Amino acid sequence: MFHYTIRRLIFTIPTLLFISFVIFFILDTAPNDPTGNLPLTIPPEVRVKIRASLGLDQPMFIRYLLWCQQFFINEPLNMIEQWFDITIGDGTRLRVTSWSTRSPVVDLVVERLPQTLWVVGMSYVVGILIAIPIGVISAYKQYSWFDQLGTFFSMLGFSVPTFFTGLLMIVIFSVHLRWFPSIYDTTHKVTDWSSFVFQVKQMIMPVMVLAFFNAAQLSRFMRASMLDNLQQDYVRTARAKGLKERVVVLTHVLRNSLIPVVTVIALGVPQVFGGAIITEQIFKVNGLGQLLIIGIQGADIPLVQTLTFIFAVLIVLFNLIADIIYGLLDPRIRYD
Amino acid sequence: MLDTAAPLVKVKNLKMHFPIYRGILSRRAGEVKAVDGISFEIMQGETLGLVGESGCGKTTVGRALLRLYDITEGTIEVNGHDISTIEGEELRALRPEMQMIFQDPQASLNPRMTVGSIISEPLDEHTKLSKVEKRAKVGELMDAVGLARHFADRYPHEFSGGQRQRIGIARALALNPKFIVCDEPIAALDVSIQAQVVNLLEDLQEQFGLTYLFISHDLSMIRHLATRVAVMYLGKIVEIAPRDALYEAPLHPYTEALLSAVPHPDPSQESTRERIILKGDVPSPSNPPQGCNFCTRCPKVIDICRSVEPELQNYGDGHFAACHLLE
Amino acid sequence: MKIPNLILAAAGASLLATTAFGAAHEARGRDGNVNIIYWQAASIMNPYLSGGTKDVDASSMVIEPLAHYDENGNMVTTLVDEIPTVANGGVSADLTSITWKLSEGLLWSDGTPVTANDVVFTANYCMDPSGGCQQLAKFSDVTNVEALDDRTVKITFGSAKPFPYGPFVGSTTPVLQAAQFAGCSGAAAPTCTAANFKPIGTGPFVVSEFRANDTITLTANPNYRDATKPAFATLTFKGGGDAASAARAVLETGEFDYAWNLQIAPEILAQMEAKGMGTVLSGFGPLVERLMINLTDPSASLGDTRSTVANPHPFMTDIAVRQALSMAIDRPLLVEVGYGKAGKVTCNVLPSPAIYDSPNNAGCEIQDIAGANAMLDAAGWAMGSDGVRAKDGVRLSILYQTSTNAVRQDFQALIKQWWGEIGIETELKNIDAAVFFGGDQSSPDTFQKIFADLEMYANNFDGTDPEAYMGSWKCSEIPSPENAWLGSNMPRHCNADYDALVAEMAGTADISKRAELAIAMNDILMQNYIIIPLVHRGNVSASANTLAGVKLNAWDSELWNIADWSRK
Ligand SMILES: Nc1ncnc2c1ncn2[C@@H]1O[C@H](COP(=O)(O)OP(=O)(O)OP(=O)(O)O)[C@@H](O)[C@H]1O
Ligand code: SF4
Ligand SMILES: [Mg+2]
C-alpha cells in the first residue's frame, strides 16, 4: 500500500503540471479583460497601461513559467518562512498576486477557508449524517412508506436547484418569520454563548439547503449499496448464525455497504473546498466559491488559475485517498 | 434404525410465495410460488436428499425450513419446536440447532471478516465462552474441517473454493447443530474437490450425529449420500421414497425422466438405459399450470392431469408419489 | 413672585436638559454601528489601483480628495478651505496652473499632520509610468506638482486647462499618505497589500479589518477633523450576492441600513419598498443608455478595413434612416419596462448637469411610427414584398448588438419590433459584458470594433465637466486598427464643425460659455442622429428609514457624506 501510494503520488506530479498548463492555456485563450469591468470613464489608453502593469503584454509562455515559479517555488518558501518564522534568502519574492485585490492569492484563500469549511463542510457532514440513516432504513424497509417518502425527497433534492430552495428559505425564515439572517456575517467571532447562538442561526439556512442537496444524492447511493448487500448470501449466513437483527444490519450489511459510499464521500470532499458557488452567493457566505466567481467575473486570471489549480490538486489527491480508503476497508483489494 | 428414529424435522403443507412488485409505485403485482404446499419429515440422523431442476424451489425449501424466510403458510417443526411463526429472540435462541451450508461459498462469507471471526461470531452471540476458549474452539473446528489453524487471520477471498466451503462448514458446526441444510454445497466446486467435501460431510455426520437435508441436482451424488430422496418439480414434491426404492423403481414420470439421464452404475443396466427427453420449458412459478404441475411436459399426460391436481400418496414402504397414473 | 420663579426654574432645567441632550447627541460614535451592503464586494481600498465604483466608494470613507462634488454636482471643499478659481487667484490667468491650500491642522488617522508633500507624492504615485494607475486620465496634461510650502500645492498643466479640477477633486483621486505609500510606487504598487487594504486617511472612518471581496469593518477615525462626526462608531461594509438580495436586506429584513446600485425590475423594487422599512433613492448623473450608429460598413467581407472610415456604411450614412430609427422608439415605455424610478426619458446624450442640458431636442418622447415610415418613403426606401425596405438593392437590415443584460435584451426585443413596423429588419446579438467592454484585441466583439450596424450601451463621465466626454466624438477619437482600436468615437463621427467646438471649449474658462459649447456639440450629435439617446439612467440605492443624512450623489461616491449619516 505504501509503495502504491508513493508510486501514485509520483505519477501525480506530471499530471498536475499538465493540468496547470491546460488551465492556464484555457484561461488565456478565453476572451476576457481584467479592465473590462472598470467604469467606461477610464479611457482606453489608461486601460492599455493597466494591462501592461499586470504583465499582460508578455507572451503567454513566459507568464505561465512566471506563475509556476510563483506558485511552486515562491509560495511554498513563503509558507515555510511563516511556519517556522525564519527568512530564506532576502525574504522578498513575488507571490501569486490577484489582479483585483493586488494581494497574494494564497492569503485570500486562507482568509476564506474558515467560512467555506464551516458552512459547506458542515453541510456535507450534516448531509452524510442525514443520508446514511435514510439510505439504510429505506433499503431495509424497501417499498415501505418510509422508502417512498425518502425517494420523493431525494427526487426533490436532486431536481430543485439550491438557488430556489435557498431563496425560498430566505423568504420564509428571514423575510416573514425573521428567525435567521439572510446575509452571512463572515467577520462574526464566537466568543460566548449568545455569539455561538448567532453563529448557529446564520449557518442554519445555507447548511440545510446544501445538506438537503447532498443528502439527496448520498441517500440514494447508500440505499442502492445497502440493497445490493442485503441480497447477498453472507447476510443470510449472518441470520442463520442467529445474530441479532441489529448486528446483522449494522455490522454485516452496513459495514460492507459503506465501502463504496465512503469512497463517494471522499471523492466529494474537493467540492467542499470548491465551495458551493450558488449557495455561497445566495447567503453571501463569501467563501472560496464566491472568490472564484468574482475572479472569473473580473478576469482576475492569477486568482482563477490558482484556485482552479488548487481544486485540481484536491481532486487528484482525494481520488488517491478514495482509492486508498477503498483498499483499507476492503480486504479483497490489494494494490501492491 | 430408521424405524426407531423419531422425526427431527416435520414439515406440513409448507408454502413460500414471493411477492412481485411492479411499476413506478411498486405495487404488488402477483407472486412467485417458489414452494407451493409441500410436506415431509426427516428422521434423526438421516440424510434426506432433495433433487430437482434448477429453479424448482429447492433452495427456497431449505431457507424456509430454517426460517430464513417468513413462510407464507404451513408448519415447520424442528426438534420438537414449532418454528413456523416464531420471531425475534425466540427464533434466535433456536438458531444453534439448525444451520445451513450455502450453495456459493464465496458469497456466503462476509468479505470483510477474517475466517476466525466468521467462525467465532456465532459463539459470541450464543455462548459465554472466554476469548481463549473461543480461540480454542475455532481451532478445533478448523481441524475438524481440515483447515490449517493459522488461516484464521486470513480473509475469505484468499482461499480456494473448496477451502471456502470448509470454512462455511466449520462455521455451520460452531454451535453444535443437530440439523444442517446443505444447499448444493459442492455444486460450485471442482469435481476433484467435490468428493473431498462430500467425504468430510459424511465424516462429520458420523462424528457429531448430524441430520442433513442435502439439496442437489446431482442424482449420483444423492444416491451416494442420501438415505431417502425427495424429488421436486415446480414448487412441489412429486415423489419421496427411500433411496434404493426410488432409484430402482421410480413411480413418477418426472423422476423417471430425471433418472433416465443418469448413467447407471451397473453396466448391464446402463446398456439398456433409454433417455427420456422432456420437451418444452419449465412453466413460470408465478403462473403454474392447472391440474398436475408437470402436465405441460409429461410424456404420459392424460386428460384428467390438466384439471385435477394429483395428491401425494403412499404406495408402500414409505414410497410416496403424486400422479394420476398411479391411482 | 412664586410663579415666575417656578417658570424660570423650569426653563433653566429644560435648558440644562437640552444642552445635556445636545452634547450626547453630538458625540462622535454615538449611534453605534451602521451596516452597508454593496452587492459587488470591494477588492481594494485604493482607487488608483482599482477604478471600480465599489472600490472607489469603499475607499471614499477613509481617504479623501481635496474637494468633492455634492449631490447637485457642485464642488465642495474637503481638505481645503476654498476652491481655487481664476477669480480668487487659485487658478492662473493663463489657465495652466492651479494652487490648492490645505486647511489648517489636518491630521491623518494615525495622528501625523497632512502636508502638501502627501499631495505631491500621490500625484507622482499615480503618474508613475509603470504603476498602471487607473485614474491616470485625471492627471492628463499635468506636467508638475510641487509643494510651495507645507500647506500649498501647485499643479501645473502643459496646456491651458479651463477646467483644472481633474486631480484631487472627487473620490476617484484621494490624497494618500506619503509615509505609508513610500516604496509602493510604480511596479511595486501591488506588493503593498497592507497599505492598499488599510490606507491611512483623513476620512471619517479607519479600516479595522479588510477581507478582500467580502467584508470591511471600519471604526470612527479618532482624528477626524470634525470632533462630532461621524455619528457611527463602527461601520460594516458587506459585499457579495446580487442586487435583489441587497435590496431585500434593507427593505424587507432590515438587516442592513444602506444598499447600493439596485438595478432590479422596477416593480419588484416597488413591492419591497411598500413594506415600509426603507426608502428607494435615485440620483441622476450623466449616465445615458444610448444607441451608437455605426457610420462605417461592418461587413465581414471587408477584412481589415471592416468598420473603418475607409468604407462608409451602405445606408446608415442616410440621415433619414437614422432619424427614422429614432422616431420609431417609444422611450417612455422603455423607461417603464427597464428602469422605473431609476430612469427618465432623454433626448440628449448630455442631459446633466442641468446647465448642459440642451433645450433644443424636445419631442423625442413621442413615438412616431407613421412619421418614420413617411420619412423613409420620402427618402426613396421602398417597402419590399418581405416587409423590409430597400433602395438600389440595399436592404434595411441591421445587426444590433449590446452586452448581455436582462434589461438590454428587453430593450432589444421591443426596439426590434418597432423597427419592424417601419420596414427595418433587425438581427439581435448580445455579448458577454466582460468581452464587449473588455479591450481584448483578439475578440471581434468589443464595443470599440463595433462589427455591427449599431450598438447599445450606457456611458457617462466622471465629475461634472463634460469637456473630455464631448471630446469623445471628434475625428481623432475614431477607433481603428492603426490605433489598436482605442478611442471612444464608436459612431466614427467626423465633423470639422464639431472638432472646432471641441477645440474652442478647451480654451474657454467661462462656465456659461462652456455650457453653450457643450450644448452645441450635443445638438450636432442629436440632430444628425449620430447617437440616439434612449434613457437617462440614475443610480438607485435604498436607505433604511432609521438612517438620517443620506444624500444620494450621482457625481461622486455615494458615501461622500458618510460623516453626516446618523441614526434617527
Ligand atoms: N427472494 C425471491 N423473490 C422472488 N422470487 C424468488 C426469490 N427467491 C427465489 N425466487 C424464485 O423462486 C423460484 C425457486 O428458486 P430457488 O432458488 O428455490 O430454486 P432452486 O431450486 O434452488 O434452483 P437452483 O438449482 O438454480 O439453485 C425461482 O423461480 C426463483 O426465481
Ligand atoms: S399426473 Fe399426469 S401429468 Fe402429472 S405426472 Fe402423472 S401423468 Fe404426468
Ligand atoms: Mg438453489
Side-chain angles (χ1 to χ4, degrees):
Chain A
M1 187 69 85
F2 179 72
H3 290 285
Y4 170 78
T5 311
I6 297 294
R7 219 168 345 110
R8 280 276 304 263
L9 279 175
I10 291 171
F11 189 66
T12 299
I13 293 170
T15 316
L16 285 175
L17 271 176
F18 179 71
I19 292 176
S20 77
F21 181 75
V22 170
I23 296 172
F24 200 92
F25 183 76
I26 291 174
L27 286 178
D28 195 74
T29 39
N32 49 29
D33 175 7
T35 64
N37 281 342
L38 294 178
L40 289 178
T41 48
I42 292 178
E45 319 67 270
V46 175
R47 286 168 196 255
V48 173
K49 289 203 178 107
I50 294 171
R51 280 195 287 270
S53 78
L54 298 174
L56 263 175
D57 50 349
Q58 293 188 6
M60 174 184 127
F61 200 65
I62 303 282
R63 280 182 286 129
Y64 173 67
L65 289 182
L66 201 66
W67 178 84
C68 285
Q69 191 213 350
Q70 290 171 353
F71 188 83
F72 293 116
I73 301 170
N74 296 358
E75 285 294 344
L77 281 178
N78 188 67
M79 228 183 273
I80 292 167
E81 281 185 357
Q82 294 211 324
W83 280 342
F84 300 107
D85 207 12
I86 50 168
T87 312
I88 303 166
D90 64 353
T92 57
R93 56 184 76 82
L94 215 52
R95 301 176 60 189
V96 184
T97 306
S98 148
W99 285 345
S100 67
T101 69
R102 309 298 177 108
S103 66
V105 170
V106 174
D107 293 357
L108 292 175
V109 171
V110 169
E111 185 176 272
R112 274 153 188 270
L113 259 183
Q115 53 259 38
T116 291
L117 286 187
W118 267 112
V119 173
V120 189
M122 181 71 85
S123 74
Y124 203 56
V125 173
V126 172
I128 293 169
L129 291 182
I130 297 175
I132 288 182
I134 289 183
V136 170
I137 300 173
S138 292
Y140 190 65
K141 305 239 151 135
Q142 198 187 5
Y143 303 134
S144 66
W145 64 264
F146 185 95
D147 185 28
Q148 312 272 15
L149 208 70
T151 309
F152 174 72
F153 275 106
S154 59
M155 285 296 200
L156 218 62
F158 257 138
S159 49
V160 182
T162 50
F163 66 76
F164 181 79
T165 34
L167 217 59
L168 195 71
M169 285 187 100
I170 287 181
V171 168
I172 295 174
F173 294 109
S174 298
V175 176
H176 287 291
L177 297 173
R178 304 273 167 91
W179 286 357
F180 309 126
S182 69
I183 290 172
Y184 189 93
D185 180 0
T186 44
T187 58
H188 181 72
K189 289 188 182 61
V190 177
T191 51
D192 54 8
W193 176 248
S194 65
S195 61
F196 174 74
V197 170
F198 179 82
Q199 178 65 15
V200 170
K201 276 186 173 178
Q202 71 168 350
M203 275 175 62
I204 279 183
M205 290 199 297
V207 166
M208 290 323 285
V209 164
L210 267 183
F212 182 52
F213 182 72
N214 289 335
Q217 312 195 354
L218 213 58
S219 69
R220 289 279 94 182
F221 209 81
M222 186 71 231
R223 177 179 180 271
S225 180
M226 276 293 283
L227 282 178
D228 242 20
N229 277 284
L230 277 168
Q231 318 283 335
Q232 300 277 324
D233 275 352
Y234 74 81
V235 181
R236 219 164 271 119
T237 311
R239 291 223 173 89
K241 280 176 180 176
L243 304 181
K244 294 193 185 74
E245 196 59 16
R246 195 171 46 80
V247 179
V248 172
V249 175
L250 295 187
T251 51
H252 285 258
V253 186
L254 181 58
R255 279 204 197 161
N256 275 293
S257 316
L258 275 178
I259 297 175
V261 177
V262 166
T263 317
V264 168
I265 290 174
L267 287 175
V269 171
Q271 291 170 14
V272 173
F273 288 89
I277 294 175
I278 293 172
T279 313
E280 283 193 357
Q281 196 81 351
I282 291 176
F283 294 100
K284 275 68 73 181
V285 176
N286 294 357
L288 292 175
Q290 187 252 8
L291 187 65
L292 181 65
I293 276 295
I294 287 198
I296 292 172
Q297 287 169 346
D300 190 345
I301 292 179
L303 176 67
V304 178
Q305 160 82 12
T306 308
L307 266 182
T308 320
F309 182 66
I310 292 175
F311 295 154
V313 171
L314 288 172
I315 290 169
V316 171
L317 210 67
F318 275 90
N319 258 296
L320 176 61
I321 290 175
D323 281 356
I324 292 173
I325 291 180
Y326 206 108
L328 290 177
L329 293 182
D330 191 337
R332 284 169 295 185
I333 310 282
R334 278 287 167 274
Y335 292 118
D336 289 316
Chain B
M1 175 193 155
L2 280 180
D3 308 40
T4 55
L8 182 73
V9 180
K10 280 190 207 164
V11 177
K12 263 202 207 97
N13 191 31
L14 176 66
K15 285 188 183 170
M16 186 66 232
H17 296 176
F18 296 106
I20 304 171
Y21 296 97
R22 274 216 194 90
I24 330 165
L25 295 175
S26 311
R27 291 211 181 278
R28 202 177 160 132
E31 46 197 11
V32 180
K33 295 173 180 163
V35 174
D36 201 15
I38 65 173
S39 306
F40 61 89
E41 290 176 353
I42 309 177
M43 303 304 150
Q44 183 95 44
E46 82 163 340
T47 300
L48 176 68
L50 184 61
V51 295
E53 280 169 296
S54 184
C56 70
K58 304 182 297 292
T59 299
T60 310
V61 169
R63 289 178 185 166
L65 263 190
L66 299 190
R67 282 301 314 284
L68 294 172
Y69 291 136
D70 285 334
I71 61 171
T72 313
E73 218 182 295
T75 56
I76 304 165
E77 212 175 278
V78 176
N79 200 20
H81 305 281
D82 182 350
I83 60 164
S84 26
T85 52
I86 58 169
E87 270 177 28
E89 277 305 300
E90 209 181 337
L91 178 59
R92 235 164 48 72
L94 292 174
R95 286 271 179 229
E97 297 189 0
M98 43 192 192
Q99 284 298 322
M100 185 153 183
I101 298 168
F102 292 91
Q103 193 165 356
D104 180 347
Q106 160 103 43
S108 61
L109 302 174
N110 188 334
R112 287 189 51 206
M113 288 172 85
T114 59
V115 169
S117 46
I118 287 174
I119 300 175
S120 71
E121 197 184 24
L123 301 174
D124 302 338
E125 200 63 32
H126 294 281
T127 67
K128 295 203 167 59
L129 298 181
S130 71
K131 260 202 174 132
V132 183
E133 289 169 316
K134 271 189 243 171
R135 191 162 325 132
K137 173 91 190 185
V138 169
E140 281 165 35
L141 286 164
M142 292 182 73
D143 289 345
V145 298
L147 281 173
R149 287 188 177 212
H150 67 265
F151 287 166
D153 294 325
R154 296 207 189 163
Y155 289 93
H157 71 273
E158 295 168 272
F159 293 89
S160 71
Q163 285 172 318
R164 269 182 223 146
Q165 198 54 293
R166 285 169 198 266
I167 300 168
I169 294 168
R171 192 227 88 231
L173 290 177
L175 292 169
N176 304 321
K178 293 200 167 61
F179 172 54
I180 298 183
V181 174
C182 307
D183 185 5
E184 311 203 34
I186 52 171
L189 307 180
D190 273 3
V191 186
S192 57
I193 297 162
Q194 285 185 349
Q196 290 176 14
V197 174
V198 167
N199 289 340
L200 173 66
L201 285 171
E202 281 183 313
D203 292 348
L204 293 172
Q205 184 170 37
E206 211 153 284
Q207 201 178 335
F208 297 107
L210 300 171
T211 304
Y212 287 150
L213 173 67
F214 199 97
I215 298 171
S216 181
H217 50 246
D218 181 345
L219 285 153
S220 325
M221 193 57 78
I222 290 288
R223 183 170 207 171
H224 172 76
L225 267 171
T227 38
R228 276 191 313 138
V229 180
V231 180
M232 267 188 89
Y233 182 77
L234 205 59
K236 295 211 160 102
I237 289 184
V238 294
E239 183 164 7
I240 180 166
R243 175 190 60 192
D244 292 338
L246 186 109
Y247 279 83
E248 298 308 326
L251 296 177
H252 196 279
Y254 179 62
T255 317
E256 280 175 8
L258 282 185
L259 287 176
S260 78
V262 183
H264 205 278
D266 181 346
S268 61
Q269 297 207 11
E270 170 67 13
S271 59
T272 59
R273 181 168 71 98
E274 236 177 88
R275 272 203 81 167
I276 305 167
I277 310 275
L278 294 178
K279 295 198 177 66
D281 290 328
V282 186
S284 158
S286 56
N287 185 21
Q290 270 224 319
C292 175
N293 258 348
F294 191 46
C295 67
T296 54
R297 302 168 76 204
C298 181
K300 300 179 179 171
V301 63
I302 48 175
D303 278 350
I304 183 173
C305 307
R306 295 207 174 82
S307 50
V308 181
E309 193 184 334
E311 296 282 322
L312 194 65
Q313 285 179 23
N314 194 344
Y315 294 97
D317 285 336
H319 197 147
F320 295 78
C323 173
H324 289 301
L325 286 179
L326 304 172
E327 282 158 12
Chain C
M1 279 298 114
K2 265 190 177 172
I3 291 165
N5 265 342
L6 204 71
I7 291 168
L8 214 69
S14 70
L15 197 73
L16 225 88
T18 40
T19 45
F21 176 74
H25 190 73
E26 263 154 34
R28 172 179 294 154
R30 61 188 177 271
D31 284 337
N33 185 58
V34 62
N35 283 316
I36 297 176
I37 186 162
Y38 267 50
W39 55 269
Q40 285 180 11
S43 319
I44 195 167
M45 294 293 273
N46 181 347
Y48 296 108
L49 294 182
S50 173
T53 312
K54 62 205 172 70
D55 304 312
V56 173
D57 284 14
S59 62
S60 73
M61 300 183 286
V62 178
I63 43 182
E64 299 175 308
L66 300 176
H68 267 116
Y69 293 103
D70 71 6
E71 75 273 25
N72 301 314
N74 301 318
M75 246 182 276
V76 291
T77 59
T78 307
L79 300 179
V80 293
D81 298 327
E82 193 181 33
I83 306 277
T85 57
V86 179
N88 66 20
V91 176
S92 66
D94 63 354
L95 307 176
T96 57
S97 73
I98 181 168
T99 307
W100 294 88
K101 192 156 179 67
L102 292 169
S103 304
E104 177 116 42
L106 283 175
L107 292 180
W108 291 107
S109 59
D110 65 356
T112 57
V114 180
T115 69
N117 265 331
D118 293 310
V119 183
V120 175
F121 171 82
T122 307
N124 292 329
Y125 172 86
C126 183
M127 293 189 295
D128 190 305
S130 52
C133 174
Q134 306 208 348
Q135 307 301 344
L136 199 56
K138 293 280 189 169
F139 291 85
S140 60
D141 299 329
V142 173
T143 51
N144 188 35
V145 181
E146 61 189 315
L148 300 183
D149 62 46
D150 257 9
R151 286 174 49 211
T152 316
V153 191
K154 182 176 173 197
I155 301 171
T156 313
F157 300 93
S159 55
K161 272 270 159 181
F163 189 85
Y165 308 107
F168 304 113
V169 180
S171 300
T172 47
T173 50
V175 182
L176 301 176
Q177 193 196 39
Q180 190 186 22
F181 281 85
C184 297
S185 291
T191 61
C192 292
T193 306
N196 290 332
F197 283 0
K198 294 186 177 184
I200 294 166
T202 53
F205 288 95
V206 181
V207 179
S208 55
E209 189 186 2
F210 186 88
R211 292 167 158 262
N213 292 335
D214 177 19
T215 309
I216 313 169
T217 320
L218 303 104
T219 47
N221 174 2
N223 292 310
Y224 188 59
R225 54 187 172 277
D226 185 338
T228 64
K229 290 172 184 175
F232 293 103
T234 55
L235 186 153
T236 307
F237 185 93
K238 171 84 180 180
D242 53 277
S245 62
R248 192 181 305 118
V250 171
L251 299 173
E252 288 194 314
T253 70
E255 290 165 79
F256 279 76
D257 297 304
Y258 187 82
W260 160 87
N261 193 15
L262 306 177
Q263 297 287 357
I264 50 178
E267 69 274 12
I268 293 180
L269 204 55
Q271 269 172 27
M272 289 187 182
E273 191 179 17
K275 296 255 162 79
M277 301 193 73
T279 312
V280 174
L281 313 167
S282 48
F284 289 84
L287 186 65
V288 172
E289 186 83 27
R290 80 289 293 279
L291 294 171
M292 292 288 205
I293 305 280
N294 185 357
L295 294 171
T296 63
D297 191 345
S299 309
S301 59
L302 297 171
D304 283 350
T305 58
R306 186 177 185 194
S307 280
T308 65
V309 286
N311 308 294
H313 197 281
F315 57 82
M316 283 299 191
T317 42
D318 182 349
I319 186 169
V321 175
R322 304 199 297 265
Q323 185 173 354
L325 289 173
S326 176
M327 287 165 77
I329 293 169
D330 184 351
R331 289 174 175 80
L333 186 65
L334 292 181
V335 169
E336 190 186 320
V337 166
Y339 296 98
K341 253 184 153 176
K344 293 195 268 203
V345 171
T346 177
C347 301
N348 292 317
V349 72
L350 179 60
S352 67
I355 49 162
Y356 300 110
D357 189 19
S358 165
N360 309 324
N361 306 308
C364 74
E365 62 274 9
I366 296 156
Q367 184 187 31
D368 186 4
I369 299 272
N373 270 316
M375 175 158 299
L376 289 170
D377 285 340
W381 295 96
M383 188 71 88
S385 56
D386 56 353
V388 179
R389 290 176 186 274
K391 181 162 95 176
D392 306 334
V394 178
R395 289 173 80 244
L396 292 184
S397 174
I398 317 186
L399 177 61
Y400 172 10
Q401 72 179 17
T402 187
S403 72
T404 309
N405 162 318
V407 174
R408 292 210 167 113
Q409 268 73 79
D410 285 350
F411 277 25
Q412 277 188 316
L414 285 169
I415 292 172
K416 173 180 173 150
Q417 190 196 328
W418 295 325
W419 286 347
E421 289 173 33
I422 60 169
I424 295 176
E425 178 184 71
T426 312
E427 184 192 335
L428 303 178
K429 177 174 179 182
N430 66 77
I431 301 156
D432 184 74
V435 174
F436 187 62
F437 296 116
D440 189 345
Q441 290 280 327
S442 63
S443 170
D445 290 327
T446 65
F447 73 142
Q448 280 128 337
K449 287 192 178 166
I450 189 168
F451 289 170
D453 299 295
L454 46 77
E455 65 187 3
M456 175 172 72
Y457 60 92
N459 200 357
N460 61 351
F461 54 93
D462 212 19
T464 54
D465 178 59
E467 183 187 330
Y469 180 63
M470 296 311 285
S472 302
W473 297 292
K474 60 184 183 194
C475 302
S476 57
E477 280 288 327
I478 295 175
S480 68
E482 289 73 48
N483 63 11
W485 300 101
L486 297 178
S488 41
N489 188 348
M490 311 311 170
R492 282 90 168 112
H493 167 246
C494 190
N495 176 333
D497 295 345
Y498 191 91
D499 283 16
L501 289 169
V502 173
E504 191 182 345
M505 190 168 180
T508 308
D510 179 59
I511 197 82
S512 58
K513 185 76 182 97
R514 287 172 70 80
E516 266 172 42
L517 292 166
I519 288 174
M521 286 188 258
N522 174 74
D523 291 350
I524 289 178
L525 296 171
M526 295 303 99
Q527 285 155 18
N528 288 306
Y529 300 92
I530 305 299
I531 296 174
I532 300 175
L534 300 174
V535 179
H536 182 190
R537 285 172 48 188
N539 300 352
V540 190
S541 293
S543 145
N545 286 339
T546 59
L547 207 57
V550 177
K551 286 182 185 158
L552 187 56
N553 188 336
W555 306 101
D556 207 321
S557 160
E558 282 193 16
L559 306 177
W560 70 291
N561 72 336
I562 188 95
D564 301 334
W565 290 15
S566 65
R567 192 68 73 191
K568 272 180 202 164

